[in-house]
């Protein structure tokens, strides 16, 4: 039995692994570093077809309309500082654990791998904070969530939109005590590219990396750059990168999973709550005394509305849906993948060229991006026209070089 036609038709949610009554489906990592289900022994298959029935790529569970939109931020500075944007996920998780005696599922680092796990305490909840732009190992998260729900516990399950769809299909019913949260997903990042980048950094700094952090916050004069990364080495030393090149390759779609290029879940969500950055916030929410990035909250269900209304640790601002759609479109639709994606991944997996050279061959940090990450808003506005010209010069020269290479061939 074939579980999927080709790799672009599998989102890696692991619902098929969880539902198999024979326990003969396992997750195998392909050469690009993404997880795919595989039947270990087809002779043991009883052809129940449950694996196909729970697959969200075949049978999605969607909410077709959004209920409410918010811009929000936590009142606690420390929580905000240790979050990617406004600290909303931690606030929801804290409410579920402390007020409902519930369980929270999320993604955490295990060394330099990302895995789904659960927390029953606030200390464990902190490990789920901040973005992790590397594909996660699902493990037994769906089965564990079902056990807690069947035991009449509240469960907050956070994951990618496809993981939430997979969970809903696996559970087969809507539990009153299940709260689901997804987010504005850029796609799953390649573990192979990430590991090669870690090796490059370790050779560069001549130390082993113990911990990698995305979305570190760097305070500038009048705003915060929340796209920094940090590397913690085995001697305790910590290095910061204003713009890490793996992160840059990831957000530009060079190392994402194939199914993410045509994601069917970004505009068709099954979650109760969706979280995201609130983009270009200074245009609508001027801060006078503090410069902190905030979050977008979208509720899809009455349950999601009730949960948000009961969290008194948040400050809310008026949000306009047209504004959110304009500046964060991936909340509502799939964004086109990078046309160089397959060529890039082929070089990474087949070539022994240094990973930094491969990334810089396909994508460079443009002058306007360097400007945005390093100067105040006032200087950004002044220097932007000049840097935009430099952007065009670079992109034009790259195009000319590409044309000359084709002619030589």
């Amino acid at each position: 039995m074939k579980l999927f036609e080709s790799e672009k038709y599998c989102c890696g949610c692991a619902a098929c692994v969880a539902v198999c009554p024979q326990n003969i489906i396992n997750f195998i990592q392909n050469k690009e570093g993404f997880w795919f289900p595989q039947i270990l022994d087809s002779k043991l298959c009883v052809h129940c077809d449950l694996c196909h029935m729970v697959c969200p790529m075949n049978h999605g569970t969607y909410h077709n309309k959004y209920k409410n939109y918010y811009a929000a931020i936590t009142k606690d500075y420390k929580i905000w500082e240790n979050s990617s944007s406004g600290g909303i996920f931690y606030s929801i998780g804290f409410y579920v654990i402390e007020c409902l005696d519930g369980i929270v599922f999320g993604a955490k680092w295990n060394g330099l791998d990302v895995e789904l796990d659960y927390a029953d305490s606030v200390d464990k909840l902190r490990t789920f904070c901040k973005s992790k732009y590397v594909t996660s190992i699902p493990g037994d998260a769906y089965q564990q969530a079902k056990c807690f729900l069947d035991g009449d516990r509240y469960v907050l399950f956070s994951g990618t939109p496809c993981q939430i769809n997979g969970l809903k299909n696996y559970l087969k019913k809507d539990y009153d005590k299940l709260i689901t949260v997804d987010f504005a997903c850029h796609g799953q990042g390649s573990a192979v590219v990430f590991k090669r980048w870690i090796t490059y950094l370790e050779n560069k700094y001549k130390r082993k990396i113990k911990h990698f952090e995305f979305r570190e916050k760097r305070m500038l004069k009048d705003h915060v750059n929340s796209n920094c990364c940090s590397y913690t080495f085995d001697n305790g030393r910590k290095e910061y990168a204003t713009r890490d090149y793996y992160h840059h390759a990831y957000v530009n779609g060079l190392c994402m999973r194939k199914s993410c290029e045509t994601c069917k879940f970004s505009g068709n969500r099954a979650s109760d709550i969706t979280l995201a950055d609130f983009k270009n916030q200074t245009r609508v929410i001027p801060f006078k005394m503090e410069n902190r990035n905030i979050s977008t909250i979208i509720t899809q269900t009455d349950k999601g509305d009730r949960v948000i209304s009961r969290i008194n640790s948040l400050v809310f601002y008026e949000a306009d849906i047209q504004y959110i759609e304009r500046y964060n479109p991936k909340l509502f639709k799939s964004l086109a993948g990078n046309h160089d994606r397959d060529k890039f991944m082929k070089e990474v997996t087949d070539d022994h060229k240094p990973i930094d050279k491969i990334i810089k061959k396909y994508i460079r940090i443009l002058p306007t991006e360097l400007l945005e990450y390093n100067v105040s808003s006032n200087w950004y506005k002044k220097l932007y026209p000049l840097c935009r010209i430099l952007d065009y010069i670079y992109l034009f020269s790259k195009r000319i070089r590409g044309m000359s290479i084709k002619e030589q061939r």
Side-chain angles (χ1 to χ4, degrees):
M1 176 186 288
K2 291 180 69 174
L3 292 171
F4 49 87
E5 288 298 319
S6 66
E7 290 187 348
K8 71 177 181 178
Y9 295 114
C10 174
C11 63
C13 72
C16 57
V17 179
V19 80
C20 179
Q22 299 294 93
N23 292 318
I24 58 169
I25 302 177
N26 199 7
F27 248 34
I28 306 295
Q29 199 172 47
N30 73 351
K31 69 175 185 177
E32 290 186 344
F34 299 106
W35 295 95
F36 288 90
Q38 185 178 88
I39 297 176
L40 299 178
D41 190 345
S42 58
K43 294 178 182 177
L44 297 177
C45 178
V46 294
H47 303 284
C48 62
D49 210 35
L50 288 174
C51 51
H52 291 135
M53 287 191 283
V54 299
C55 176
M57 299 292 281
N58 298 327
H59 308 284
T61 303
Y62 311 130
H63 301 305
N64 293 320
K65 66 176 183 178
Y66 304 105
K67 294 188 67 64
N68 285 305
Y69 311 83
Y70 310 91
I73 187 170
T74 177
K75 297 175 185 176
D76 190 313
Y77 183 85
K78 281 292 183 184
I79 293 171
W80 170 83
E81 192 175 38
N82 291 307
S83 303
S84 292
S85 51
I88 310 304
F89 169 72
Y90 179 90
S91 301
I92 299 172
F94 184 90
Y95 166 75
V96 170
I97 291 173
E98 292 294 303
C99 300
L100 302 179
D101 190 30
I103 304 293
V104 178
F105 283 80
K108 72 169 190 178
W109 289 105
N110 181 6
L112 294 170
D113 293 315
V114 180
E115 64 181 22
L116 294 183
D117 199 1
Y118 70 87
D120 55 7
S121 69
V122 173
D123 286 339
K124 291 181 180 177
L125 174 65
R126 293 189 180 96
T127 65
F128 299 156
C129 292
K130 289 204 176 180
S131 303
K132 299 158 186 77
Y133 298 133
V134 186
T135 187
S136 61
I137 303 169
D140 299 325
Y142 291 171
Q143 298 95 313
Q144 291 169 336
K146 187 176 187 304
C147 284
F148 286 122
L149 289 166
D150 290 339
D152 204 33
R153 298 286 297 276
Y154 276 94
V155 169
L156 170 65
F157 198 102
S158 65
T160 61
C162 58
Q163 287 172 338
I164 300 300
N165 262 271
L167 172 68
K168 291 287 187 76
N169 285 357
Y170 167 72
L171 293 176
K172 299 186 181 71
K173 70 173 185 177
D174 189 18
Y175 288 81
D176 291 337
K177 292 189 175 182
L178 172 66
I179 305 161
T180 52
V181 174
D182 66 11
F183 44 85
C185 183
H186 284 278
Q188 299 177 41
S190 164
V192 166
V193 178
F194 182 67
K195 290 295 176 62
R196 283 201 61 184
W197 180 246
I198 291 295
T199 300
Y200 163 77
L201 291 174
E202 290 178 338
N203 290 334
K204 176 183 176 181
Y205 291 102
K206 296 179 172 54
R207 302 293 311 192
K208 285 288 183 183
I209 292 178
K210 288 181 63 179
H211 185 67
F212 190 104
E213 195 77 82
F214 293 101
R215 302 293 301 272
E216 290 275 18
K217 292 178 176 177
R218 179 189 175 202
M219 297 304 298
L220 300 174
K221 184 177 180 180
D222 59 357
H223 69 289
V224 62
N225 172 13
S226 63
N227 284 303
C228 299
C229 293
S230 69
Y231 325 129
T232 303
F233 298 94
D234 54 5
N235 62 352
R237 175 182 158 210
K238 197 171 186 178
E239 281 285 333
Y240 292 89
T242 302
R243 186 59 155 173
D244 172 83
Y245 261 101
Y246 169 81
H247 187 187
H248 198 58
Y250 168 77
V251 297
N252 281 279
L254 283 174
C255 56
M256 72 164 58
R257 190 183 183 97
K258 287 185 177 181
S259 62
C260 300
E261 295 179 326
T262 54
C263 176
K264 62 187 292 184
F265 308 105
S266 52
N268 299 288
R269 298 175 182 271
S271 62
D272 298 301
I273 302 166
T274 295
L275 304 178
D277 294 317
F278 193 86
K279 302 285 188 178
N280 287 14
Q281 66 185 48
T282 54
R283 296 193 180 191
V284 293
I285 305 174
F287 283 96
K288 294 181 180 179
M289 299 299 292
E290 56 185 354
N291 307 305
R292 296 198 279 165
N293 59 328
I294 64 178
S295 297
T296 297
I297 304 175
I298 301 176
T299 58
Q300 275 92 228
T301 64
D302 291 334
K303 187 192 297 182
D305 255 352
R306 287 195 300 272
V307 170
I308 295 301
S309 69
R310 291 169 183 168
I311 299 174
N312 56 19
S313 60
L314 302 178
V315 178
F316 292 92
Y317 300 91
E318 188 176 344
D320 178 71
I321 183 57
Q322 282 77 31
Y323 187 89
I324 295 171
E325 285 179 340
R326 178 181 178 186
Y327 290 105
N328 207 343
K330 64 180 174 292
L331 274 167
F332 308 96
K333 63 181 180 181
S334 174
L335 301 183
N338 193 310
H339 67 275
D340 286 327
R341 185 265 182 208
D342 289 345
K343 290 188 289 185
F344 172 81
M345 290 303 300
K346 189 173 190 310
E347 285 201 43
V348 170
T349 55
D350 296 346
D351 203 335
H352 296 292
K353 189 186 297 182
I355 186 66
D356 62 314
K357 295 187 182 300
I358 299 175
I359 294 175
K360 291 175 184 178
K361 173 183 173 181
Y362 286 93
I363 192 78
R364 282 188 175 272
I365 299 174
L366 298 174
T368 50
E369 293 171 321
L370 286 172
L371 189 71
E372 179 185 1
Y373 302 145
N374 289 286
V375 302
S376 68
S377 297
N378 188 38
W379 275 106
Y380 179 76
K381 290 175 183 176
K382 290 178 180 178
L383 297 174
Y384 180 82
L386 173 61
C387 288
R388 196 76 180 117
I389 293 170
L390 296 175
D391 284 356
Y392 283 124
I393 292 172
Y394 166 73
L395 293 170
F396 180 74
S397 63
K398 182 181 178 183
R399 183 179 178 186
I400 295 298
R401 286 198 303 271
M403 291 170 62
S404 63
I405 290 171
K406 285 183 179 179
E407 288 176 359
Q408 290 174 11
R409 289 175 178 172

